[in-house]
Amino acid sequence: TTETHNSNGQLPAPSKPTDKHLQLPSAMNCPRTQLFIALLCLGNFGLASAAAHRDVVMNQVFQRRLDAAVESLRTVLNSERSFAPPSDVDHGYEDKYKLADSTTNSLLGASQNVLQAIGLSPEVLADLNSQSINRNATIHLHLAHEERYEYLREELIELDAPTKVVKESGFLGSYTKERKVTQKVIEYVWIHTTVFTLSATIGASSSKTTLPFLNASYAVEVRRRAKDEFQELNTMSYPPLDITWLVRSLGATDGCHVVFCVVVVIMFVLRCEEDSKGRSIYEPSFMYPSYSIGFSIDRSAPSCKTPRRNENVEKAVEQFRRIHAWNLETVHALRNNLQTASGIHKDLAIYANEMIVSPVLPLFDADTRGVLSNADTEAMLDEHKAAMEMALKNLGRELEASKPTNTLRKPPLKALSVIPLFMHWNLLVQTHRDGLNHIEDLLRLQLTRAVGKELTENDFREYMQFHMEKRLFKDDFAPKPFTFAIRHPGYSPEGTIAIERTSGGGPQKATGELIRTFVRETEPRNMSFALNAATKVTFSGPHYVHGFLDHSLAGSNIQMRLLAQAREFSGFILILGKIKSSNEFDAQEAIVIQNRDELDIPIVLQQIPSPKAFQDYIRSLSPEQQRFARAFRGMQLEGTLFGLVLIQIKPAMEKVLRLAPGSLTKEIQLTQDLMTLFTKYQIPTDLLSFDDISNAWKGQDSGFEGADRPSKANPESRLTHVKQNVARMMAMVENKKAKVNEAAQQGFAFAKATGTAEKKSLKRKRDVPLGAAFNTEIHPEEVVAYGAALVGARISQEFQETSRILLLDVDIHGNPVDSVGGSENMAQADLGGSGKMAQEDLVKEEPNGSWEDGDYSEDWEDDGESSETEEKRECEDGGCSNSNSRAADGEVEDYTQLAVHLDETLSRNDKEGAVRPTSLVVGNPWSKHSRKTILSAFEDSQITKEEARREKDRTFDLLDALSRSGGLLLEGSSLHVIVAATHCFSQTLIDTVIQENVNPIDRVEKTALLLAAETHREFGTDAVSRMVRKGELARLMDTHKQEDLIFD
């Protein structure tokens, strides 16, 4: 840090204040030491471990200080008493507050010793305080730096030039020799005088009163080649330091209790004497302050949380932090200038380290199990004062013996001594901060040892699950794991669906933990969702309302995933979306899951501001702006409702084909063929379903003969009839595939024989992959190309027909649509662009049939009338009416109001504003674990956003077929509605308990009661008593306020 003069005697340019606020001991401030520690941490633990390793080193340094302080205290007191850190002494929680008071008071006493060493008197301090109070003005400290340049003279000097080598000739021949050359130049001599002024100012700039109390100056000789190189005056001002609170706290009189007495006023009362030779003599004087120091923590203040986290300590720490930073700037400015001019080459930190006695340490008297007495503290302060006096005397001797170069006047010792004193003072401030943090770390250590491990967020989540399921709620109201089996009553499940937590970030990694939700089953009723602008599908079945409560701690990154699994030879439809109204569902994603497929869909949690935060944000807005914000928040709240619709395929397929319930349970191949015809080829269900043609048989040829004629009352006959329809349709598809292959072979043979075929790509009008649809070995594009090349040649009529088939129109998804026209046994089907029937062409369809040959099912018994007299359901505009569509009280429950009611409840009961409504959003990409055939190996694949859109289109095509474009009610479906909220904590679990002095169990418990009451619709003064166990009710009344447990 020491700078030297240039060759011509010039001092370096004045240094500007630095932003470096080092807070390490001098041994750790060495850049090489810090670099070594950083590289060591990087090599062994990585960048993330570097900070942790540094904390470990700092803790070890502080522990060594504690050990040295214990030995020093015994020496100073000359006593056999035992002193120990708080971790080694049995004490109570109140003793930690006393220890924080004692440590802060010790720093105040040590700070007073430092200020006494630089000459600050209580009288000057009282005068500043009096003027500040009378004028209601602030007090600042200013450090100014002024440089003056005075022209002295000019000098002609000779400078040695580089040696010149010349070649000369003589009697004996030529030779070389060196010739010395000198150069005369003019140098202009200046006197460079530097003055540092430290002053206190009271009031604003317009009416400012300045009280200077330090003028330290020195002068050096500077030489230059140019005469006009310097300005005569150059000034620089450093940022001021506000000490108003400090001065007023120190100047409290007339019996006022001084809460903090932090002595941080940097004012210098200079006492300079001269000996007989004119040299300055500086002897620091010490005395105890004339006012008492009485720092104490106000335990009754609402902001008082812990011995470390309270308003009194926070103000003291913040004030000392600002002084610490200002001291560093002051030391840096004085060190780069005063020390260089003084000629002292030693690091002045040596003299700061000689003040080794530090009274600012958190120690207990092990004998009395209490803090140090006032007598012990005063003895330590006396020793601290003596150590500072000895260090400054050593500095004075070093200054007297120094012989700086080009220095005309040395800086005075009174100013130079400020450097080691402020460095030592900063070390005291750092020790005080470490001592307070040690008290807090002790709380953390005790809690960790009490539970036997370092608690994490997963530990807290595990406990809350145990607490709410086993202790708090009754069984009917306790949260349940979110996992459900998709099954038809009386049959094995088709699959399962569940929601799990994941670690978040990167690939989905499950923690193996199912989320828990409060769940209420509501009355079955009809709801609908749109397939397109013209078609709505209505479904009916049980509804489940879920209340999901999550909690978030600092640093947590927990997300969720939805897992859907289907069993072998089974399948179901999964639809994800939002709730639009009381009877309408917004289907955003849809997919068919079948034959042991495993689908993994990421779920992202998105929070919106809490009700309290929202009100705080809009409080200062205009009425128009507030109405806009409230309207937009209403939309956000309704959007937080996440919905899942589960539709079973087999029951819906049996209904649309007019089969008896359970007819497809054991018909594996038939079910697979039907899925292929519905999804791949989009064959209308009317071409495959059982036809009740009892009236049409009269005088007409139905295509059945004898026993093959279907019986209206026989389920087996219905099934047989459907099998025959499917077989004929599959045969037609296979026949067309064969024709394609045959035409392709003829085209290749003809091209090979004639050599006239050109292999060029002919695009169809929609440019769709036909080969994938027909699953042929020969690419249809090549077939069409060869067919086009052979137009006009002698080719068979059958090849031309086959080529024409390949050029038929396609559906909206690019799948080919086979023509069914011309079939004698099939009805004409309109398969134009989308492959869907128009809504106005639908007929009213009944779900039930009647049977004559036995009692097969209660649902299929009727009076034997024809299909025209069966029970009819009204399906107008895609929405079917049902007597069960209303709740028990006669009114339809509007799920969209769940989030609104929950928000209103939170606004009344969540005083901290920590609970935020949360939306569940489907993420990307999806992961799928599936196989192509039953004998194939399973493969993992990802479903991108575009692929998910295509899956949704294919699923909607299937739903269009199963519902006859909205004409049939999809019974046996289920709806799950999830309303979510997140209880947010700003810190980690341990910091929430230790620093905030908050029990997160109580906070989350109260939020869980609110959400459970909203989910189960339990309101009133006795809502809590109905939901919780008897043994927990009394504890809740003691823990929470009674008004917080009343839910309207």
Side-chain angles (χ1 to χ4, degrees), residues 500-505 507-513 557-562 600 602-603:
E500 289 185 353
R501 299 185 186 276
T502 65
S503 57
Q508 295 293 309
K509 297 180 180 178
T511 60
E513 178 188 0
N557 187 22
I558 299 298
Q559 298 179 2
M560 300 189 304
R561 67 173 187 174
L562 188 148
D600 184 343
I603 302 296

Side-chain angles (χ1 to χ4, degrees), residues 1-6 8-18 145-149 192-194 196 218 220 222 224 229-231 234-236 238 332-338 340-341:
T1 59
T2 302
E3 298 181 1
T4 58
H5 293 77
N6 297 331
N8 55 8
Q10 179 191 6
L11 279 175
S15 302
K16 294 183 179 181
T18 179
H145 177 198
E146 180 179 286
E147 294 181 346
R148 297 188 183 95
Y149 292 91
H192 179 201
T193 304
T194 304
F196 284 93
Y218 64 91
V220 296
V222 181
R224 282 291 185 272
E229 194 169 333
F230 293 115
Q231 296 180 356
N234 184 21
T235 61
M236 180 181 298
Y238 294 83
H332 179 77
L334 298 178
R335 204 177 193 181
N336 288 345
N337 295 277
L338 294 181
T340 303

